[in-house]
């Protein structure tokens, strides 16, 4: 079901129509629950319905690497390993791709500045790559995780001209991509769900253009 929703969202991007369109690129920091914060990049394409209302399709990209290091167990017997040394046990790299349909309402403050509020719904795909280290041996595997997502946020816009503007936004993003895998628990093979809590605060700056 999650995969079908993702396909439907992509299809929606090609059904947008109207006289004036919008395109934007934004970059900043994302702080999900699943890992430390990191760089986030997003692009949008959509319709400028009127002066104070936009509808768009957005796609974001987030990457994070983290390692598990320890000096316990069998590694304590490695010659030359001191208590202060850490052995890398595993390395995980995640790539997160939220695809969302967003509605943005703008509220004029003066001739150049507007406040805005935005809400979005969509689907999310997360690719996870695992490298497990056992002395000289390296075990590699990867998985795809999916989930629905939503986002609420707001910020300020500064008009550069009739067809361009810069903006800053702060938003809360909610998603928990997961997948099922088989694991041997107590001698019994069981289906286990692994979940990544990608909910967190998103803060970015961007530039938006209007064109026909």
């Amino acid at each position: 079901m999650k995969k079908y929703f993702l396909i439907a969202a992509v299809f929606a991007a090609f059904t947008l129509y109207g006289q004036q369109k919008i395109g934007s690129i934004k970059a900043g920091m994302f702080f999900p629950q699943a890992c430390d914060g990191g760089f986030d990049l997003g692009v949008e394409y959509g319709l400028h319905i009127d002066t104070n209302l936009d509808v768009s399709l957005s796609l974001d990209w987030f990457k994070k690497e983290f390692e598990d290091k320890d000096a316990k167990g069998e590694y304590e017997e490695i010659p030359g390993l001191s208590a202060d040394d850490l052995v890398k046990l595993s390395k995980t790299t995640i790539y997160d791709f939220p695809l969302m349909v967003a509605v943005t309402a703008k509220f004029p403050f003066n001739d150049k500045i507007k406040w805005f509020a935005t809400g979005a719904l969509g689907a999310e795909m997360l690719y996870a790559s695992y490298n497990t280290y056992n002395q000289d041996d390296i075990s590699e595997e990867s998985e795809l995780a999916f989930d629905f997502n939503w986002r609420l946020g707001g910020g300020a816009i500064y008009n550069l001209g009739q067809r361009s503007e810069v903006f800053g936004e702060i938003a809360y993003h909610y998603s928990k991509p997961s997948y099922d895998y088989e694991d041997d628990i107590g001698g019994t093979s069981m289906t286990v769900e692994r979940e990544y809590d990608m909910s967190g605060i998103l803060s970015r700056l961007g530039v938006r253009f209007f064109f026909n």
Side-chain angles (χ1 to χ4, degrees):
M1 183 65 181
K2 297 176 182 178
K3 297 179 182 179
Y4 296 147
F5 187 89
L6 184 63
I7 295 173
V10 173
F11 177 77
F14 297 95
T15 62
L16 294 174
Y17 64 94
Q19 292 185 343
Q20 192 170 45
K21 299 179 176 62
I22 60 173
S24 66
I25 182 169
K26 42 194 173 180
M29 296 295 293
F30 180 39
F31 302 92
Q33 295 292 325
C35 60
D36 293 336
F39 177 76
D40 185 274
L41 180 67
V43 294
E44 282 185 326
Y45 172 78
L47 297 180
H48 187 51
I49 303 299
D50 60 33
T51 305
N52 296 317
L53 184 65
D54 296 337
V55 178
S56 61
L57 185 75
S58 70
L59 176 65
D60 297 345
W61 175 88
F62 175 79
K63 175 187 175 183
K64 196 66 180 180
E65 295 181 352
F66 44 97
E67 298 177 346
D68 180 19
K69 295 183 178 180
D70 204 349
K72 299 179 181 180
E74 61 184 290
Y75 294 100
E76 294 178 347
E77 301 177 1
I78 299 178
L81 181 66
S82 68
D84 295 330
D85 292 330
L86 292 177
V87 175
K88 182 163 64 175
L89 302 181
S90 64
K91 177 182 177 182
T92 301
T93 304
I94 61 173
Y95 300 86
D96 193 42
F97 303 95
L99 180 64
M100 314 185 77
V101 177
V103 177
T104 300
K106 305 174 183 179
F107 309 94
F109 179 72
N110 56 36
D111 291 341
K112 284 288 189 178
I113 298 175
K114 294 181 180 180
W115 304 112
F116 73 88
T118 184
L121 292 172
E124 194 154 332
M125 182 183 75
L126 184 145
Y127 172 80
S129 173
Y130 311 101
N131 289 339
T132 303
Y133 303 92
N134 184 8
Q135 297 188 20
D136 294 332
D137 296 329
I138 301 177
S139 175
E140 299 180 4
E141 59 179 297
S142 61
E143 294 288 349
L144 286 175
F146 297 90
D147 193 22
F148 297 112
N149 55 19
W150 58 263
R151 183 180 298 170
L152 292 175
I157 298 169
Y158 181 81
N159 290 330
L160 295 175
Q162 293 184 345
R163 290 180 173 269
S164 61
E165 59 188 27
V166 293
F167 60 92
E169 67 173 354
I170 296 178
Y172 178 77
H173 180 85
Y174 177 87
S175 181
K176 295 183 178 181
S178 63
Y179 66 90
D180 296 334
Y181 67 97
E182 297 295 325
D183 196 7
D184 188 5
I185 301 178
T188 303
S189 180
M190 300 182 64
T191 300
V192 181
E193 181 184 54
R194 175 172 289 171
E195 179 183 88
Y196 288 87
D197 188 351
M198 299 304 293
S199 305
I201 300 297
L202 181 64
S203 177
R204 297 186 291 191
L205 298 174
V207 58
R208 181 177 291 116
F209 301 97
F210 304 90
F211 54 93
N212 293 326

